[in-house]
Amino acid sequence: MTPASTNVFTEFLDDYFAECDEHLTAMRRNLLTLESLAQQERVDVSLLDELFRSLHTIKGLSGMVGLAEAEQLAHLMESILRALRRHQLDLSDEAVDALILGTRTLEQVIATRQTRQPLPDIAPAIKQLEAITGPLPDLPPSPEETPTAATETRLPLPRESGPPAFTLREGERAWLFQFTPARALAERGISVDSIRTRLQEIGQIVHAAPRIQDGGKVTFEFLVTTDADDSTFTPWQEDGLTWAPYEPPPPTPAATGLKAVPTPSIGPPNVVRVDLTRVDDLMQTIGDLVISRARLEDTLTSLARHVPAAQQRQLQEINQALERQLRSLREGVMRLRMVPLGEIFERMKFVVRDLARERRQEINLALSGQETEIDKLVVERMLDPLLHLVRNAVSHGLEPAEERLAQGKPAEGTIALRAATAGDSVIIEIEDDGRGIDRERVAEQARAQGLLDAEAPLDDPTLLDILCTTGFSTRRQADRASGRGVGLDVVKKTVEELGGSLALDTEVGRGTRFTIRLPLTLAIVDALIVSVGGQRFAVPLPSVREVIEARPKDVTVLGNEDEMLSYHGDVLPLIRLAARFGLQEQFERAFYVLVAAHGAKAAGIVVDRILGQREIVVRAISDPLIQVPGIAGATELGDGRPLLIINPAVLIGSRR
Amino acid sequence: MPNILVADDSPTMRRMVIASLQSLPNVHFEEASSGLEAIERLALAPVHLIVLDLNMPDIHGLEVLHFTRRHEVFRSIPVIVLTTKGDEASRAEALSAGAAIYITKPFEPHLLAQYARDLLETA
């Protein structure tokens, strides 16, 4: 039955994509675990169950939104898992490969549907999957083929009989918990779900079942093995829980020798899913609040002369409290937008695994800091750049095994992917222990292409700038993994658009490390408010290294009219904001220079005056007709007059 | 006001079911994302119709169905089993256990609504 009215459900497409994404993420993780178990006798049943359930949900939902290709792929993969679950099929490399290809194709089908592009060819994946299952008739399969489809994926849950056998580890005890749900408890947020989560935190739930008491009251029984002391759960009495030590019945002959089946983590985590646009709306309102508070502060300042000191202090205290509370409100909403980087790190595992196979090379991917959180939007934008850097590390970085062994390195190459939070930034590192970048070769090429002066030294920042130049390549032949030098410029551009920076460290024979620094949030930043030619501009504080006061006589003009300022024993090229925007400078004796850097280049941005430091709300300028290089957006300070936000990196980058 | 319990581990699927039944007069919805939760909902508020998915984590939909049929208080609540293609084998089991109707996904929203209306009226 295919609904003629499928379009009824198109309003749920965004939910569909989001939910599929969650399942695909879980599937990728589970498949990699499964792969590591290939050809083993016993496979963790819960792993197969979880994969099965993900596919089952994707299949059901795909059918509802009319995406038949996804439905078909999920159905075939589900059949393989069912056969594995019933031991009708061995967990061979071929089966795992087919599942992985199937997952990737499924992912592509869903992604192309989302971006409204033509769907990919699913025939190769179908062919490979059918080679494992044997050709299946059209959907739905006949009942004979799936005689116990439903019971197969059911968790062991005896009905009125006793709980299943389980094993206790050193120091563990078994407890039988009983939870009686009640409305009063539900109003306090205490439900069977939260109780289950609570019990999972202290140990393992071996068995869970509903019971009806005399009088018709429903209770839930949980058998839990834990090393926690019963003082841990004493306070839980108030939450409708009772417990008693549980004595397992003596093992029956049939039960001995059976290993306990690990119970999968059951139930969803305690999470609400919110549409990102709602969070954006909230952020917008907070932005408006920030502006209103700035107006309040300005009004207070202008009233200062007319208000007695005591009242003025009170007003100031209220104003400051408001500022603090607004900051914590903003941080709270920001946290809603944060997602762990682990999700995209998981994807990298998949990519590395494929590349390793393709190149017939052992590659170890070491991940750390997966729990580091960053803005959802940043994660989405960073996926492709990170993919690119990881591919680069494999194809340009790691040497073939023989070459590595000859150099006394382990045959297995290592790629490390690390993330950490540092102040207002998130730092992501991609490091390989490969051959490093051959400076001489790059320098030679760069000189040939006119990108580097004959005698100029090639330090890491300059090297990065050259590698990031569009079209620059030292590879004679593009290879499949990384393409031809295309991309590093895109990586850098994306990072900079997000207000971050990219750095490079490399040592020949030892390896290469890329370091990406990204701001935690995008919407509100601290900025310097400056004035040039009577106009105000905002410059984000994180991009300003230093502010120096200078006088016209300190400036040296070179033959090509470039202006330089002596700076820490070096020279600093100057960019006059007034000249950039057709304004007339209006300073008296001295002007100010904001020192900022962009890759290897540092420069000073000349302004008339510094007006102060403020928290500003960044409003992007989305109309391409009024987008100007060097302008990151616009903001207002509460007086109703807009001002432009400068992006120093772009100004410096575009300097001749 | 009739209370309809929608039990499915997929939040999107629950929304689709609720959207399909929204047109029924004066109905109120309860949601559950697992078998245990479904039973808790039944214990906490009177329910007049259950739309039940089979393949759910922790307690399978068939277990929930068996549980409700075994106990006096819940026995008369009509159950629509709404499950994904491929589970057809459980059709006979579900119907003999006492499910009123067995529907496979993808389902026709107006048909689901029609069945629900009939069951609420006869109950």
Side-chain angles (χ1 to χ4, degrees), chain A residues 592-638:
Chain A
Y592 292 86
V593 177
L594 313 182
V595 182
H598 172 71
K601 298 185 210 165
I605 296 168
V606 177
V607 302
D608 292 349
R609 261 179 307 164
I610 308 285
L611 301 176
Q613 183 184 329
R614 285 291 264 285
E615 202 176 38
I616 59 160
V617 182
V618 180
R619 310 247 194 247
I621 298 177
S622 49
D623 185 341
L625 290 178
I626 54 171
Q627 277 179 355
V628 176
I631 299 294
T635 189
E636 62 161 324
L637 298 181

Side-chain angles (χ1 to χ4, degrees), chain A residues 1-6 63-64 66-68 71, chain B residues 85 104-108:
Chain A
M1 179 172 67
T2 304
S5 45
T6 303
M64 293 304 292
L67 192 52
E71 196 185 0
Chain B
K85 274 182 198 173
T104 49
K105 302 166 190 167
F107 61 87
E108 281 282 359

Side-chain angles (χ1 to χ4, degrees), chain A residues 125-145:
Chain A
I126 297 282
K127 196 173 155 216
Q128 203 170 332
L129 288 166
E130 280 180 345
I132 307 292
T133 60
L136 286 174
D138 291 342
L139 276 172
S142 60
E144 305 83 72
E145 263 193 302

Side-chain angles (χ1 to χ4, degrees), chain A residues 487-506:
Chain A
L488 209 48
D489 55 330
V490 178
V491 173
K492 192 160 186 241
K493 190 161 162 276
T494 308
V495 170
E496 279 167 3
E497 276 171 6
L498 292 169
S501 64
L502 178 70
L504 167 76
D505 292 289
T506 183

Side-chain angles (χ1 to χ4, degrees), chain A residues 1 3-5 9 12 15-16 19 52-53 56-57 59-61 63-65 71 82 139-140 146-147 149-150 153-155 157 159-160 179 181-183 186 191-193 196 210 212 218 220 222 266 268 273, chain B residues 9-13 15-16 19-20 33-34 36-37 39-40 43-46 55-60 62-63 66-67 70-71 73-74 83-90 93 103-109 111:
Chain A
M1 179 172 67
S5 45
F9 294 113
F12 294 100
D15 293 307
Y16 167 74
E19 199 173 329
F52 184 92
R53 207 156 24 232
H56 200 70
T57 301
K59 179 171 93 168
L61 288 174
M64 293 304 292
V65 299
E71 196 185 0
R82 186 179 290 126
L139 276 172
T146 52
T153 53
R154 201 181 300 179
L155 291 184
L157 246 184
R159 291 176 193 169
E160 303 291 334
F179 171 67
R183 269 166 184 267
S191 63
V192 68
D193 209 44
R196 178 176 48 196
I212 290 241
V218 173
F220 294 96
F222 293 94
I266 40 183
R273 213 166 48 204
Chain B
D9 56 335
S10 158
T12 308
M13 192 60 82
R15 286 199 204 181
M16 289 172 167
S20 309
S33 63
S34 71
L36 285 178
E37 251 191 276
I39 291 172
E40 183 180 46
L44 293 181
N55 228 308
M56 284 190 292
D58 67 33
I59 302 192
H60 194 273
L62 281 174
E63 300 278 1
H66 283 300
F67 180 84
R70 268 201 311 275
H71 298 291
V73 248
F74 307 125
T83 191
T84 308
K85 274 182 198 173
D87 283 343
E88 281 75 1
S90 51
E93 190 179 351
I103 301 175
T104 49
K105 302 166 190 167
F107 61 87
E108 281 282 359
L111 273 181

Side-chain angles (χ1 to χ4, degrees), chain A residues 179-192:
Chain A
F179 171 67
T180 311
R183 269 166 184 267
L185 291 173
E187 276 161 18
R188 283 167 46 208
I190 295 162
S191 63
V192 68

